[in-house]
Amino acid sequence: MPRSRGDQGHLPAVVVLTGAGVSAESGVPTFRGAGGLWRTYRAEDLATPEAFARDPRLVWEWYDWRRQTVAACEPNAAHRTVAEMESVLPDFTLVTQNVDGLHERAGSRNVLRLHGSLWSLRCTREGLRVPNDDVPLADIPPRCACGALMRPDVVWFGETLPGSVIEAAWRAAEAADVMLVVGTSSIVYPAAALPVVALRRRARVVEFNIEPTDLSAYSELVLGPAAEMLPVWWAAHRDELLGA
Ligand code: BJW
């Protein structure tokens, strides 16, 4: 593998972009495909501001169920591999679409969370953010001290991503020599554009998924469960990426 493009003195810039599939083997359901339904609802019908405006209790019941599910799960070997990459690679960026907090629990320190966190609540009136890890929640829907409804501190369809986070992720994608795209269907934007940005800059893009996606035609596809395949790939490429 070449060292950093155009500069033999620098080690490669490595970016990892993760989606729900990275947590699948921890027992966290993905959004789409088998197991993607909660009761009879699709994630696309619940993860919207309109759904929350219509029925905050229903949406909060879904999030409360997901918080309970995640709280009972542990990070898996893929999360741990990503944390190890961060600890040894000098130029490393982790970007996740996940809100479950499993990267952090595996030891990742700098996580660009594109879609927020399950473990933060936000006041719908004042925007105040409150960390909260109660499972189950004491009251559904939860309310702020000011009396207004709290909402999950996540990014729903039609909402903009936190500006500083998507900007940092975009810059990392532009500067990437290697991008690993792990467990995402690559259909939700702007996250799905990040590998395209990296490809345009001639980065090596490696996808880890149990099935091909729209990205697969343009990347190297490592087919199989992330918790199995990512540690194997890392063991085979660690020395190259470290310039050893
Ligand atoms: C395994 C595995 C194993 C399983 N190992 N792999 C440009 C074009 C078209 C549309 C748009 C566009 N720009 C914006 C849009 C609109 C929209 C969008 O993208 N729609 C698409 C559906 C078409 N985007 C937005 O609205 C975004 N906002 C925005 O862009 O603002 C500006 C704007 C607004 C309006 C119009 C235009 C511009 C916001 C997107 C927010 C997404 N939010 C959610 C919910 C977060 C909170 C929560 O968790 O509740 O984020 S939706 C959901 O999808 C969640 C996920 O992060 C996200 C991505 O899903 P992910 O992670 O890929 O999961 P899955 O289930 O889809 O896939 C899992 C994959 O893992 C699969 O491939 C499996 O095969 C694989 N897998 N087991 C490895 N063991």
Side-chain angles (χ1 to χ4, degrees):
M1 182 188 307
R3 293 163 83 97
S4 186
R5 277 167 290 143
D7 184 348
Q8 294 300 310
H10 286 85
L11 292 172
V14 179
V15 177
V16 173
L17 169 67
T18 63
V22 78
S23 298
E25 283 146 281
S26 292
V28 182
T30 59
F31 289 92
R32 299 166 185 89
L37 287 180
W38 173 74
R39 298 185 187 164
T40 56
Y41 299 94
R42 296 180 321 141
E44 285 88 339
D45 299 331
L46 293 167
T48 69
E50 293 77 20
F52 187 70
R54 200 164 46 239
D55 194 342
R57 171 175 292 277
L58 175 73
V59 172
W60 263 117
E61 282 172 353
W62 181 51
Y63 278 93
D64 191 44
W65 170 77
R66 289 174 58 197
R67 285 161 56 105
Q68 292 181 51
T69 304
V70 171
C73 295
E74 295 296 330
N76 65 49
H79 299 107
R80 290 193 293 274
T81 299
V82 173
E84 189 192 327
M85 289 178 183
E86 181 182 7
S87 70
V88 299
L89 292 173
D91 190 342
F92 177 84
T93 306
L94 170 59
V95 183
T96 189
Q97 300 169 80
N98 296 347
V99 297
D100 58 27
L102 289 178
H103 281 301
E104 291 86 342
R105 282 171 56 194
S108 288
R109 290 172 178 278
N110 298 304
V111 188
L112 292 175
R113 285 195 301 257
L114 295 177
H115 295 160
S117 170
L118 272 182
W119 308 108
S120 175
L121 276 49
R122 194 163 89 228
C123 176
T124 54
R125 183 185 294 154
E126 302 159 328
L128 179 78
R129 293 187 154 89
V130 181
N132 178 305
D133 57 8
D134 298 346
V135 282
L137 282 162
D139 296 306
I140 293 182
R143 289 197 175 267
C144 182
C146 77
L149 272 179
M150 296 296 266
R151 57 162 283 175
D153 191 11
V154 299
V155 181
W156 285 324
F157 284 114
E159 296 184 319
T160 52
L161 281 66
S164 59
V165 179
I166 186 63
E167 281 161 21
W170 206 269
R171 280 196 303 273
E174 287 177 333
D177 296 294
V178 178
M179 181 182 279
L180 309 181
V181 182
V182 188
T184 175
S185 53
S186 291
I187 60 172
V188 175
Y189 286 82
L194 296 171
V196 180
V197 169
L199 282 165
R200 282 205 194 115
R201 298 291 183 111
R202 302 199 179 286
R204 176 180 181 182
V205 175
V206 187
E207 186 186 24
F208 296 80
N209 206 304
I210 53 169
E211 60 185 29
T213 71
D214 288 350
L215 178 65
S216 306
Y218 310 97
S219 61
E220 298 166 40
L221 175 61
V222 178
L223 207 54
E228 212 177 291
M229 306 313 282
L230 193 62
V232 170
W233 188 93
W234 171 235
H237 293 84
R238 185 190 149 107
D239 285 352
E240 282 172 63
L241 294 174
L242 281 166

